[in-house]
Amino acid sequence: DQQVKQNSPSLSVQEGRISILNCDYTNSMFDYFLWYKKYPAEGPTFLISISSIKDKNEDGRFTVFLNKSAKHLSLHIVPSQPGDSAVYFCAASARTGANNLFFGTGTRLTVIP
Amino acid sequence: DAGITQSPRHKVTETGTPVTLRCHQTENHRYMYWYRQDPGHGLRLIHYSYGVKDTDKGEVSDGYSVSRSKTEDFLLTLESATSSQTSVYFCAISPGPLEQYFGPGTRLTVT
């Protein structure tokens, strides 16, 4: 059973506009959430994370929002650039033991110049 | 970038043959992980290690074994490869309960 879900397989956005990628989770024990970006034929690259004690974390053009009551997080990219075109994975962890990550199925973002 | 390499990067093998994939790190991180990526499933954990000779099963461990005899190396073995194990395999490392850093991946095809 998928504990982390990304219900939008793809998203297209015009360059300069905002990209919003969404993620839902079911396990209330998750307390740390991460976003990874993946280009073809490369490994996932860590982008940004958020702890459950926060509801927002910002790093440059990237902001992650966490709504614990809804078990929902989102990644905002502003402004979107063509180089942002990639597959984005949401991941969650309970930070116990070896910190195993549970991944969503990914959303392919295409930024149109 | 974290110092992680995977070998081989591509491999084609026949059903029933044993296959070993290698992950090598230069970061001296304690934790190492093996994932597989398949369409519609994202990344799923196969096995992980929390120290030399300390390993445990992940979500999809059937048909796979691992070994870690040195801090820097984590081996994934398919004892008898099957077509369902055709996938892209990623190794990841982590110093602790925070971000994991991924290698470039190994594309394995079992014919």
Side-chain angles (χ1 to χ4, degrees):
Chain A
D1 188 28
Q2 196 82 18
Q3 298 187 62
V4 178
K5 299 178 183 179
Q6 294 176 257
N7 293 318
S8 298
S10 62
L11 174 69
S12 291
V13 171
Q14 288 289 134
E15 180 178 4
R17 306 296 291 267
I18 183 171
S19 296
I20 300 176
L21 294 92
N22 294 303
C23 178
D24 297 292
Y25 62 96
T26 58
N27 189 339
S28 58
M29 297 300 292
F30 289 150
D31 63 355
Y32 194 66
F33 304 90
L34 309 90
W35 285 94
Y36 284 84
K37 175 181 180 180
K38 187 182 180 304
Y39 293 118
E42 295 184 10
T45 301
F46 169 71
L47 197 56
I48 191 169
S49 62
I50 187 167
S51 165
S52 60
I53 62 173
K54 294 185 174 182
D55 54 18
K56 176 182 175 182
N57 188 28
E58 190 172 354
D59 184 1
R61 296 185 298 113
F62 303 91
T63 303
V64 56
F65 295 92
L66 175 62
N67 182 334
K68 290 185 290 293
S69 61
K71 293 190 176 67
H72 177 83
L73 64 155
S74 60
L75 174 68
H76 293 211
I77 306 173
V78 184
S80 300
Q81 300 173 353
D84 296 330
S85 296
V87 176
Y88 289 78
F89 289 99
C90 169
S93 166
R95 283 199 290 185
T96 57
N99 185 42
N100 296 340
L101 294 180
F102 293 86
F103 283 83
T105 53
T107 296
R108 180 177 302 278
L109 173 66
T110 302
V111 180
I112 304 164
Chain B
D1 288 346
I4 317 170
T5 56
Q6 292 184 232
S7 58
R9 294 293 313 277
H10 301 271
K11 186 168 182 68
V12 180
T13 192
E14 294 184 348
T15 298
T17 59
V19 176
T20 295
L21 308 183
R22 180 182 183 239
C23 177
H24 179 77
Q25 62 150 327
T26 58
E27 305 296 321
N28 201 36
H29 284 342
R30 176 183 178 188
Y31 298 96
M32 299 185 75
Y33 311 80
W34 277 107
Y35 291 87
R36 59 178 289 174
Q37 184 196 4
D38 303 291
H41 290 280
L43 284 88
R44 292 179 293 173
L45 182 66
I46 304 171
H47 281 280
Y48 63 95
S49 170
Y50 44 97
V52 173
K53 297 191 189 308
D54 291 324
T55 66
D56 207 344
K57 296 179 180 180
E59 183 184 0
V60 290
S61 60
D62 287 348
Y64 302 94
S65 63
V66 291
S67 66
R68 190 170 179 198
S69 58
K70 298 185 290 185
T71 298
E72 57 266 34
D73 289 325
F74 193 31
L75 303 180
L76 176 71
T77 297
L78 290 65
E79 304 290 347
S80 176
T82 68
S83 58
S84 65
Q85 293 176 312
T86 292
S87 187
V88 181
Y89 291 85
F90 290 101
C91 175
I93 64 175
S94 175
L98 295 171
E99 302 82 46
Q100 295 179 17
Y101 300 94
F102 285 80
T106 294
R107 182 173 294 276
L108 176 68
T109 303
V110 183
T111 60

